[in-house]
Amino acid sequence: MNIPFGSEEARQFITNVGLITTNGPIGHNISADEWTHHISYSPGLIAICIHKEDATAQNILKTKEFGVNLAAVDQNIISSIAGRSHGFDVDKISALKEFGVEFFKSKKINVLMVKNSALSIECKVIKHMKLGDHITFIGKAIYVHPLSGKQPLLYHSGKYFKIGKQIIKPKKSVLKNIETLVEKYRRKR
Ligand SMILES: Cc1cc2nc3c(=O)[nH]c(=O)nc-3n(C[C@H](O)[C@H](O)[C@H](O)COP(=O)(O)O)c2cc1C
């Protein structure tokens, strides 16, 4: 079955937005990637899923490296600009610079990183595979930049959000009941 783009089902997911920076045959480039996931602690691995026709995929296939910059809560415009045109047609980095967005040079790879993102990590690709209609690139973290202190932007149902109210924990008595229930159904191993 399909889970089509823009469908109510696809819109149930909540994600970060990775601002993916690359530098290859297309030159320096940036794209927006909601499918940016931390998938291992040790080593630190990040999976990104990129449409195979995108400039970002072409750059990464050649250089085997990319920058992950999690968009901060005040960087939704960067995401919109990065996600609405292709690096083949538009020098998005120059457009963003003229708009006032600051970039800095990476330490261990050869891309530009986005200043003041929620988290910036330099990655080297250890594996890539075509899965469905996108290519999944698994990047190994090789340099983690100091945190900016900004909160990450949330993406849901085609719109941007900021982190809101925390759900209050159940009362102690309810927690106790849950503990008892879990014990009752603990499997014998
Ligand atoms: C918020 C947002 C999230 C996106 N997430 C993805 C994604 O996870 N994977 C993808 O291939 N494209 C995603 N896109 C679309 C790409 O960013 C878009 O196609 C972009 O033009 C690709 O640029 P490039 O050709 O320079 O790589 C997203 C766009 C936006 C605005």
Side-chain angles (χ1 to χ4, degrees):
M1 277 196 76
N2 295 340
I3 308 170
F5 174 79
S7 64
E8 286 301 312
E9 291 76 18
R11 285 172 175 259
Q12 289 304 307
F13 292 87
I14 300 173
T15 63
N16 285 105
V17 177
L19 300 169
I20 305 303
T21 47
T22 56
N23 181 20
I26 282 90
H28 280 287
N29 192 35
I30 181 166
S31 68
D33 188 17
E34 64 182 296
W35 290 338
T36 300
H37 301 288
H38 179 199
I39 57 164
S40 164
Y41 295 116
S42 179
L45 298 178
I46 297 175
I48 59 170
C49 307
I50 305 287
H51 197 275
K52 64 180 190 316
E53 305 291 342
D54 284 354
T56 297
Q58 299 310 310
N59 268 356
I60 301 174
L61 284 170
K62 186 75 186 170
T63 62
K64 306 280 188 288
E65 59 187 35
F66 59 88
V68 174
N69 306 268
L70 291 186
V73 71
D74 57 353
Q75 292 180 326
N76 54 301
I77 292 178
I78 306 182
S79 169
S80 296
I81 294 172
R84 273 204 205 134
S85 59
H86 292 287
F88 305 112
D89 311 316
V90 179
D91 177 353
K92 290 181 268 186
I93 299 270
S94 294
L96 284 164
K97 278 183 180 169
E98 194 161 324
F99 187 65
V101 175
E102 291 182 71
F103 294 87
F104 62 95
K105 278 194 175 152
S106 54
K107 292 250 187 202
K108 305 275 185 187
I109 60 175
N110 185 24
V111 305
L112 292 169
M113 306 297 285
V114 181
K115 200 171 167 192
N116 289 324
S117 68
L119 173 67
S120 283
I121 299 186
E122 300 177 20
C123 293
K124 285 265 189 202
V125 174
I126 56 161
K127 200 174 190 160
H128 75 275
M129 63 214 104
K130 191 177 176 299
L131 289 176
D133 45 23
H134 284 58
I135 303 176
T136 297
F137 294 96
I138 311 293
K140 183 174 174 181
I142 56 161
Y143 193 85
V144 180
H145 290 269
L147 291 174
S148 66
K150 296 223 175 156
Q151 285 204 326
L153 180 70
L154 307 183
Y155 189 63
H156 167 65
S157 191
K159 300 181 191 77
Y160 300 109
F161 294 85
K162 57 182 174 185
I163 294 169
K165 260 195 169 173
Q166 189 181 350
I167 305 285
I168 308 289
K169 262 192 179 180
K171 283 184 190 152
K172 270 192 181 156
S173 57
V174 177
L175 287 175
K176 191 80 201 141
N177 283 346
I178 293 170
E179 226 174 81
T180 311
L181 260 180
V182 170
E183 278 316 309
K184 184 177 168 188
Y185 289 98
R186 187 172 293 284
R187 294 185 200 280
K188 308 267 177 285
R189 293 209 294 158

